[in-house]
Amino acid sequence: MRHAGRIAAEARSVAGELVKPGAVTSQIDKRVREFIISRGGIPAFLNYRGYPATLCISVNDEVIHGIPSERKLEDGDIVSIDVGVIKDGYVGDCAATFVAGRADPESLRLIEVTRTCFYEGMKFAKVGYRISDISRAIQTHAEANGYSVVREFVGHGIGAAIHEPPEVPNFVERPRRKADPRLVPGMTLAVEPMVNAGDYGVSVLDDGWTVVTADGSPSAHYENTILITDGEPEILTICEVS
């Protein structure tokens, strides 16, 4: 999983460097697919449940699962890149939001708060805590900064498959209806805050994949695959330039 995670993190960085005004999202997807294969990996998203691309590229009010197309990025667009890689039967999954050109201060703040939501949650990714402790930290940080966290899509366990139990919500259910396991060494989780500048409501477009904010507000996404250890959690989707 460290190997798969490293390739995924490198692919995320490659994609981020390609996010520029005028860039075509399908060409970003093609370049990253070639990179993953050159590193001995397999694109985990391609053909997963029928998904047609290597990357999810979600722009502005698109939250997740944006399908690469002939769309050209414009100056100021905020672009969430989600990438998964299979290596030797195991999966690494990560995401980040980048800026095409110059972004306004509010967009930059949304992106940074989303990133720090992940790290707030990771403080509780330790033996003895529960999944809900990660969820609560993410939600608290987002809402303290005036944002909302998406409810309908969540983080997840990960390993030999992209999506494994348990679910890792970015909010705390009241009352909680699903399992809330304690964390134990060896668990691997994809923790992924999805943060909206407006309300947390979302809808899915007619393509069956692209999730957008219901109120048209911008959204940002940040994700890493982490390992629960006997001590501090380990980020598996990491590389020198990530």
Side-chain angles (χ1 to χ4, degrees):
M1 288 194 68
R2 289 188 181 95
H3 200 170
R6 188 179 311 116
I7 298 171
E10 291 169 350
R12 175 177 58 184
S13 294
V14 169
E17 292 170 359
L18 296 171
V19 172
K20 299 175 182 177
V24 177
T25 60
S26 63
Q27 289 302 308
I28 296 174
D29 186 76
K30 180 175 182 290
R31 290 278 300 277
V32 175
R33 182 183 309 154
E34 292 169 348
F35 172 80
I36 291 170
I37 293 170
S38 76
R39 294 283 279 111
I42 299 170
F45 297 169
L46 183 60
N47 299 320
Y48 178 70
R49 298 180 179 176
Y51 187 73
T54 292
L55 300 175
C56 297
I57 304 181
S58 307
V59 183
N60 296 330
D61 66 332
E62 296 173 351
V63 182
I64 50 172
H65 303 163
I67 300 174
S69 66
E70 296 310 299
R71 177 178 188 165
K72 288 186 178 181
L73 298 178
E74 299 181 3
D75 189 48
D77 281 345
I78 61 172
V79 184
S80 297
I81 303 284
D82 194 354
V83 57
V85 172
I86 302 169
K87 176 65 177 176
D88 298 328
Y90 290 91
V91 186
D93 186 7
C94 60
T97 303
F98 303 92
V99 178
R102 298 165 296 176
D104 61 81
E106 276 304 306
S107 294
L108 293 174
R109 181 173 179 269
L110 172 64
I111 292 169
E112 179 59 16
V113 169
T114 303
R115 187 187 73 84
T116 54
C117 276
F118 166 83
Y119 287 99
E120 289 298 311
M122 199 173 77
K123 292 177 181 178
F124 297 90
K126 299 177 183 179
V127 172
Y129 287 106
R130 293 187 181 273
I131 292 292
S132 61
D133 294 311
I134 297 174
S135 306
R136 183 177 295 103
I138 291 170
Q139 180 180 14
T140 298
H141 187 67
E143 293 180 352
N145 281 278
Y147 300 131
S148 61
V149 291
V150 171
R151 281 9 184 212
E152 292 186 42
F153 298 87
V154 298
H156 48 90
I158 185 170
I162 299 174
H163 296 110
E164 298 182 349
E167 290 188 348
V168 186
N170 297 308
F171 66 101
V172 178
E173 295 179 299
R174 300 180 180 90
R176 189 173 177 87
R177 297 184 299 276
K178 297 182 179 178
D180 186 20
R182 289 195 183 276
L183 303 177
V184 297
M187 292 177 72
T188 43
L189 307 172
V191 178
E192 50 177 321
M194 291 160 265
V195 179
N196 295 347
D199 186 74
Y200 62 75
V202 298
S203 59
V204 181
L205 297 185
D206 290 342
D207 62 22
W209 285 103
T210 308
V211 178
V212 299
T213 58
D215 60 8
S217 62
S219 184
H221 184 199
Y222 188 80
E223 174 186 21
N224 280 305
T225 300
I226 64 173
L227 168 68
I228 307 301
T229 75
D230 287 316
E232 294 297 315
E234 178 184 347
I235 298 177
L236 302 182
T237 42
I238 194 165
C239 65
E240 291 183 0
V241 292
S242 67

